[in-house]
Amino acid sequence: MSSDVVVIGAGIAGYAAALRLRRAGADVTLVTKGMGGLALSPGTIDVLGRLGGAAGPAGPGAGADVEARSARRSITHPYAAIDASDLLPEGHPYRVIGRRATAAGVDRFAALVGPELLTARPDGTAGGTGTGEDGATGSSGEGPANLWLPTALGAVRPTLLVQPSMEASVLRDGGRYLVVGLARLKDLTADMVAGNLNRAELPGGGRVQARALTVDFEARAGENDTNAVGHARALDEPAGVEQLVRLLAGKVRDGETVLLPAVLGLDHPGVFQELAARLGAPVGEIPLVPPSVPGLRLEHRLDRLASAERVRVVMGARVVDARVERGRLVSVTSAAAGRPREHRAAAFVLAAGGFESGALTMDSYGRVTDTVLGLPLAGAGADGEENLRHLIHRDYWGSPQGLFRVGVAVDAQMRPLGPDGTAALAGVHAAGGVLAGAVRWSEKSGEGIALGSAEAACDAVMAELGHSPSNNTAALEADAATGRATGPAKSKEQD
């Protein structure tokens, strides 16, 4: 099987790359061993929320000594922080991705999934610099500021883009909130969330007032422990919405915003609007632990778009071999039921994720490996015993684990680099969780790195292939709109 481009991985970076390249006129095959990580995400777009702390020391611009650079600090304007690259630690992927590609990738993704699923906040002042500690910022050109959402524990977390169903959940100084728990959903305890929110101070100052209410919403008849997806499917139906409205009628006080677990519809994400109209108060969602309903909304939308735009998606296809000719990758082979399948292409985008997806592994001897293409990894050496000593330690609440920063080093075209700084394998561009140098869960930077690196990788691939946005872009976008409304076309394969 031959294509212009093979994309490996079906996470946010893989889908973003595949769809952009397809819209540019390329013939694209997306090869994946299964679903990507969107179902594990809160369904928001994190670009950069924090530096220091569990992520380890920030860059030299954050302080004169290690102690100062290690202090946990909130980032108010993520694009400005990326511009001020000396805030970032050495080897951080944003140092090569840069502000332009990051902002372009985020803006393109918001437009791709549409306003029903993401509220766009364009970086209209790209090119400026300046940010600071604890929400302080420097000069013009800051770009959009981070928003602060409650978590399922009542903590406060930063993000840049939210789904419309979460807009009312953005915490504001002096805000009054009614936190509603659903008795048969065990992933959120309203009393704990409200109590912690009352104790929390918002970054930059300010507090909120919260109170708790728990109602007995029955998602499935006779079932006392229903997960988030079960609740969301119940609220896709008018009867479920009606039941919840009855339970909350008369419970909301004037001036309160209602915060509910993020289960307000899976296939119909506008449920929050109906609830708000019926209750006479703003309604917002609080993201939960996986399986994430907002993450699945994005996953389903991207899957439908890929089908509508004729991206060839090969599911259940774990890459088991790669063919290299004269230093260039020319094909990968995926495991299949009955026989292997070879996928030839002029270019490849590696977006298979990191340790969490199994694309990177560390065995009991300390050997760290890229399991997909066998690329060299930055941050890990050939000596397994040395890796065990320096990449993992037992003080889990102490200094950062070095393993988190291990991955593939890249240049500005997202080409994988070897230890000598030269391209390790021609024809390959890497994006997303496989990139070295970031502690995404602590920095709240995962989606920004994924979308920025996918943008830069696509720029490079299109230049190599001589593609520019083709005349069939309008038709492809029309097909995509049809796919949103009617569901997937028939282009997915199952190995």
Side-chain angles (χ1 to χ4, degrees):
M1 180 184 297
S2 296
S3 307
D4 293 329
V5 186
V6 167
V7 176
I8 303 170
I12 189 170
Y15 270 121
L19 286 162
R20 185 183 174 200
L21 291 167
R22 182 70 189 104
R23 288 186 170 188
D27 182 50
V28 180
T29 297
L30 190 151
V31 177
T32 177
K33 66 179 182 179
M35 287 180 62
L38 279 165
L40 306 178
S41 80
T44 59
I45 302 299
D46 300 347
V47 174
L48 184 64
R50 299 189 180 104
L51 287 172
D65 54 42
V66 173
E67 184 177 358
R69 296 197 298 272
S70 298
R72 182 176 176 180
R73 67 193 65 221
S74 298
I75 299 296
T76 298
H77 294 90
Y79 292 141
I82 295 169
D83 244 356
S85 60
D86 64 345
L87 284 174
L88 302 169
E90 191 67 34
H92 197 284
Y94 277 144
R95 283 180 171 248
V96 293
I97 297 169
R99 175 175 181 162
R100 186 211 63 79
T102 304
V106 170
D107 293 348
R108 190 185 303 276
F109 186 78
L112 181 69
V113 300
E116 304 89 355
L117 287 186
L118 275 180
T119 301
R121 303 174 70 210
D123 181 23
T125 55
T129 60
T131 189
E133 300 180 21
D134 301 323
T137 56
S139 65
S140 61
E142 293 164 331
N146 273 324
L147 308 172
W148 299 93
L149 288 180
T151 73
L153 296 176
V156 181
R157 70 177 294 270
T159 192
L160 190 66
L161 301 189
V162 298
Q163 299 194 12
S165 59
M166 300 177 194
E167 288 181 8
S169 305
V170 175
L171 299 173
R172 296 178 173 86
D173 183 23
R176 297 171 54 218
Y177 301 92
L178 173 62
V179 181
V180 177
L182 305 178
R184 305 184 191 213
L185 175 66
K186 311 305 182 185
D187 297 337
L188 184 146
T189 303
D191 287 328
M192 179 173 66
V193 173
N196 286 337
L197 287 178
N198 285 325
R199 287 186 283 272
E201 181 175 349
L202 300 180
R207 292 185 175 276
V208 302
Q209 299 176 41
R211 66 185 183 94
L213 171 69
T214 300
V215 298
D216 188 17
F217 177 81
E218 188 177 49
R220 291 176 180 154
E223 187 171 276
N224 292 321
D225 186 359
T226 305
N227 70 9
V229 175
H231 277 81
R233 292 198 183 282
L235 287 166
D236 277 334
E237 303 299 328
V241 175
E242 191 64 38
Q243 180 190 168
L244 187 55
V245 169
R246 287 198 306 269
L247 291 169
L248 295 178
K251 302 293 196 302
V252 185
R253 299 172 184 169
D254 289 344
E256 285 186 325
T257 294
V258 179
L259 300 183
L260 282 147
V263 296
L264 302 184
L266 179 60
D267 297 324
H268 302 286
V271 169
F272 78 99
Q273 295 170 317
E274 183 175 353
L275 288 173
R278 299 280 298 276
L279 297 173
V283 173
E285 291 185 309
I286 299 176
L288 303 175
V289 298
S292 162
V293 170
L296 285 169
R297 291 175 194 148
L298 292 175
E299 171 87 30
H300 293 173
R301 173 63 58 84
L302 292 169
D303 182 58
R304 288 194 292 269
L305 285 170
S307 295
E309 301 201 16
R310 303 303 190 265
V311 173
R312 186 182 299 107
V313 180
V314 185
M315 293 291 292
R318 182 172 61 90
V319 172
V320 295
D321 196 13
R323 182 179 172 189
V324 177
E325 294 179 358
R326 297 180 181 178
R328 185 178 188 89
L329 182 65
V330 297
S331 73
V332 295
T333 299
S334 62
R339 62 179 179 82
R341 176 180 291 185
E342 185 180 25
H343 309 271
R344 297 182 61 88
F348 297 80
V349 177
L350 175 63
F355 288 99
E356 71 285 349
S357 69
L360 302 179
T361 63
M362 183 178 190
D363 64 20
S364 59
Y365 297 99
R367 294 175 298 212
V368 188
T369 308
D370 163 29
T371 65
V372 182
L373 297 179
L375 295 171
L377 300 177
D383 187 334
E385 292 186 4
E386 187 72 9
N387 289 337
L388 289 173
R389 283 193 295 270
H390 290 92
L391 297 182
I392 298 178
H393 58 75
R394 296 181 181 180
D395 183 11
Y396 297 112
W397 302 107
S399 59
Q401 302 284 352
L403 193 66
F404 292 138
R405 292 191 184 277
V406 173
V408 176
V410 293
D411 63 11
Q413 288 75 46
M414 299 299 111
R415 294 177 297 193
L417 302 178
D420 61 356
T422 62
L425 182 61
V428 179
H429 303 266
V434 73
L435 300 187
V439 185
R440 294 160 177 79
W441 62 269
S442 177
E443 299 169 353
K444 299 296 181 278
S445 61
E447 289 80 20
I449 291 171
L451 295 172
S453 58
E455 183 80 5
C458 288
D459 285 345
V461 169
M462 290 161 62
E464 290 175 7
L465 300 182
H467 278 285
S468 59
S470 62
N471 293 331
N472 66 349
T473 297
L476 289 171
E477 291 178 347
D479 283 347
T482 303
R484 290 189 189 116
T486 63
K490 304 295 185 181
S491 71
K492 180 175 290 187
E493 304 176 20
Q494 184 78 33
D495 268 359

